[in-house]
Amino acid sequence: MQSKFKALSLSYKNAPVEIRELVSLDDTAIRSLLTKLKDFFSLTDTLILSTCNRTEVYYSHELDLSTEIIKLVGLEKGLPNTIAYLEYFDIFQDDRSAINHLFRVAMGLEAQVVGDMQISNQVKRAYQASADMEMAGPFLHRLMHTIFFTNKKVVQETQFRDGAASVSYAAVELIEELTSNTHQPRVLLVGLGEIGEDVAKNLVYLTGAKIKISNRTYAKSQTLALEYGFEAIPFEDSFEAMKEADVIISSVMKSEPFITKGLVSTFDIKSYKLLVDLSVPRSIDTAVEDIPGVLLYNVDNIRSKASETLSQRTAAIPQVEQIIEENINEFYDWKKEMMVSPTINKLKNSLEQIRKEELERYLKNADTQQFDIIDKITKSMMQKILKVPVVQLRAACKRDQAEEMIDIINDLFDLEKQQDSKKA
């Protein structure tokens, strides 16, 4: 089993949205990158997470592959001189720090809006992609299920996930504040991917607003509109709807701006028009800010207005961190046991081979009853002989001395030599 778990992370903490959108990976790009990592480096325990706030790669390997992985990301995105972006990445080269970082990300501790509930689903999908491509071994399977269990415990035992303080909700809070003096503000939401759908769910709290939603798949718009009491419009009508909207929320995934300065300049803006860009890469041209009356916000400059919820979540952080630490320690206990399992199995096999050879040597003329009795006695003896070294190995795990004990038992029972002789 690989034990050298590592990670590299580009997030909103070190990289502005201009950089994040350059390296952002969609599902197709993630699958392609996983394939390259498997083919080039024979990686198994690998996870790629890419959201509007971060792009991260977790992997197990003896060597630090950070530079090579960043080059592959650049190759996938068609970026020249990708190493120039190395400064924006945080590198975690030992498995404890990489594992701790993944736990913190999955729990929402590293989210731009602390406790963001979307991240746990994004991590699950990243894990599913790895599992589907056979890029998850026993180590990653166990690690991810420990994370899912930890997340459940955080939800059940703390106030960290109470309320709705995701980026999507933060956007709705911002809209509510900026339209407070507008009677029945007209809101248009375009794009109903994960973030867009979450925005739609939170727009129900925007009392008095007239809300229209649009998506490339019209059926999805209709379903959500029916559920939340909105108006669904066909995607091809969304540009016309933008003209009359006071607020336009764009969550459209495109490689180039969906809403351009040229388009917005055709609007008759009598007082203001608020544009909220929740896409990475950005779907609204930043040049629209040059147009009088236009206010533009993106994922970097949206600030959470859910102060009470965030206050509760912030207060719960020490409790969340304690739960994380406890579960990481439990995971390491399992990891250490897995480290000694091969030695335990080799010792069992070695003693069993000796037992069988001696039975065959001395009981050639024994009848069935005699053989069964002696076979049972010798099996019992072997189990008792095994008990002490097995207990000592597991105790050594607890003391972080497993490697030393493995070497002692290998030398004492000459396990490596016996293993080589079996192969021969």
Side-chain angles (χ1 to χ4, degrees):
M1 174 192 298
Q2 295 281 2
S3 61
K4 305 297 183 181
F5 195 60
K6 299 177 176 65
L8 58 155
S9 168
L10 180 145
S11 75
Y12 72 94
K13 289 188 174 182
N14 294 334
V17 66
E18 298 87 14
I19 300 299
R20 299 204 305 277
E21 64 188 5
L22 285 176
V23 300
S24 178
L25 302 167
D26 59 19
D27 291 344
T28 301
I30 287 173
R31 286 193 294 270
S32 177
L33 184 56
L34 282 170
T35 299
K36 288 183 175 67
L37 291 171
K38 187 175 185 178
D39 292 344
F40 295 170
F41 304 109
S42 300
L43 295 184
T44 52
D45 290 312
T46 308
L47 183 83
I48 299 176
L49 176 66
S50 192
T51 72
C52 60
N53 281 328
R54 65 184 65 251
T55 294
E56 300 183 328
V57 180
Y58 298 85
Y59 64 99
S60 287
H61 201 275
E62 291 295 320
L63 303 176
D64 176 11
L65 301 177
S66 301
T67 301
E68 289 80 359
I69 291 173
I70 292 171
K71 286 179 179 177
L72 286 176
V73 171
L75 182 65
E76 194 62 44
K77 298 289 292 184
L79 299 174
N81 191 28
T82 322
I83 298 306
Y85 303 108
L86 184 61
E87 63 180 290
Y88 296 105
F89 283 85
D90 285 322
I91 310 297
F92 302 89
Q93 293 192 28
D94 68 275
D95 59 5
R96 188 85 189 198
S97 62
I99 288 169
N100 185 65
H101 181 71
L102 180 53
F103 267 83
R104 292 182 63 84
V105 168
M107 295 308 116
L109 285 171
E110 299 295 320
Q112 194 166 23
V113 178
V114 67
D116 191 334
M117 290 178 285
Q118 292 183 70
I119 189 64
S120 59
N121 290 328
Q122 291 164 336
V123 169
K124 284 180 182 177
R125 282 202 305 277
Y127 168 54
Q128 187 63 56
S130 295
D132 289 345
M133 298 189 66
E134 299 182 349
M135 295 285 283
F139 176 90
L140 189 61
H141 283 307
R142 180 71 180 223
L143 176 61
M144 297 310 299
H145 284 283
T146 304
I147 286 173
F148 301 150
F149 172 78
T150 304
N151 183 61
K152 185 177 180 181
K153 200 169 183 181
V154 166
V155 171
Q156 292 175 339
E157 298 182 9
T158 76
Q159 292 184 305
F160 190 64
R161 291 287 174 79
D162 290 358
S166 67
V167 170
S168 305
Y169 185 76
V172 173
E173 288 277 345
L174 173 70
I175 293 166
E176 184 177 35
E177 180 179 323
L178 295 178
T179 61
S180 59
N181 294 323
T182 302
H183 177 64
Q184 293 185 326
R186 295 161 296 182
V187 179
L188 172 65
L189 169 61
V190 185
L192 296 173
E194 183 179 355
I195 292 179
E197 186 174 347
D198 197 47
V199 171
K201 293 175 183 177
N202 286 303
L203 281 172
V204 296
Y205 301 109
L206 204 59
T207 55
K210 293 182 177 180
I211 298 167
K212 295 180 180 180
I213 59 176
S214 182
N215 192 57
R216 286 189 179 91
T217 305
Y218 185 49
K220 186 169 186 179
S221 301
Q222 290 178 305
T223 301
L224 284 175
L226 183 63
E227 183 177 357
Y228 298 115
F230 303 152
E231 179 184 349
I233 62 172
F235 191 73
E236 57 269 22
D237 295 340
S238 60
F239 290 108
E240 190 64 28
M242 290 179 192
K243 293 180 181 179
E244 64 178 40
D246 299 307
V247 180
I248 302 168
I249 309 166
S250 178
S251 181
V252 178
M253 298 302 293
K254 286 194 70 175
S255 57
E256 56 189 24
F258 171 67
I259 300 174
T260 64
K261 182 179 180 181
L263 173 66
V264 178
S265 64
T266 65
F267 299 163
D268 181 17
I269 303 174
K270 291 184 170 56
S271 57
Y272 74 92
K273 195 172 286 284
L274 172 61
L275 304 183
V276 180
D277 189 350
L278 298 180
S279 307
V280 175
R282 289 172 293 181
S283 59
I284 303 178
D285 185 354
T286 55
V288 301
E289 290 183 292
D290 298 334
I291 300 172
V294 172
L295 301 172
L296 174 64
Y297 288 82
N298 62 36
V299 290
D300 272 355
N301 48 40
I302 289 174
R303 294 294 179 260
S304 174
K305 304 300 178 182
S307 56
E308 184 178 347
T309 296
L310 287 180
S311 177
Q312 288 177 347
R313 292 185 176 189
T314 302
I317 287 176
Q319 191 179 357
V320 175
E321 290 177 332
Q322 182 179 350
I323 292 172
I324 288 174
E325 184 65 22
E326 289 170 357
N327 283 277
I328 287 178
N329 288 337
E330 287 182 14
F331 173 76
Y332 264 81
D333 287 343
W334 170 85
K335 183 172 177 284
K336 291 169 184 175
E337 292 248 349
M338 289 301 98
M339 183 180 177
V340 301
S341 288
T343 301
I344 292 172
N345 288 332
K346 282 194 288 185
L347 180 57
K348 285 181 179 178
N349 292 337
S350 175
L351 293 177
E352 178 62 14
Q353 182 65 26
I354 293 171
R355 189 184 75 84
K356 286 182 177 179
E357 288 175 356
E358 295 304 298
L359 285 178
E360 186 177 341
R361 180 180 175 186
Y362 289 105
L363 297 181
K364 289 179 181 179
N365 299 320
D367 59 34
T368 302
Q369 185 178 8
Q370 290 174 326
F371 185 91
D372 289 344
I373 292 172
I374 297 174
D375 182 59
K376 186 176 180 180
I377 292 170
T378 53
K379 277 183 180 177
S380 177
M381 291 172 61
M382 288 301 100
Q383 288 174 357
K384 290 181 178 179
I385 292 170
L386 273 168
K387 186 176 180 180
V388 173
V390 168
V391 167
Q392 290 299 323
L393 271 170
R394 287 177 175 156
C397 284
K398 302 289 185 184
R399 302 191 304 269
D400 288 325
Q401 296 175 339
E403 291 185 5
E404 293 91 328
M405 185 60 69
I406 287 170
D407 289 340
I408 290 170
I409 289 177
N410 275 331
D411 290 343
L412 186 62
F413 292 93
D414 205 11
L415 298 181
E416 296 300 331
K417 183 178 179 181
Q418 291 187 40
Q419 194 76 4
D420 292 339
S421 65
K422 276 188 180 180
K423 291 178 182 178

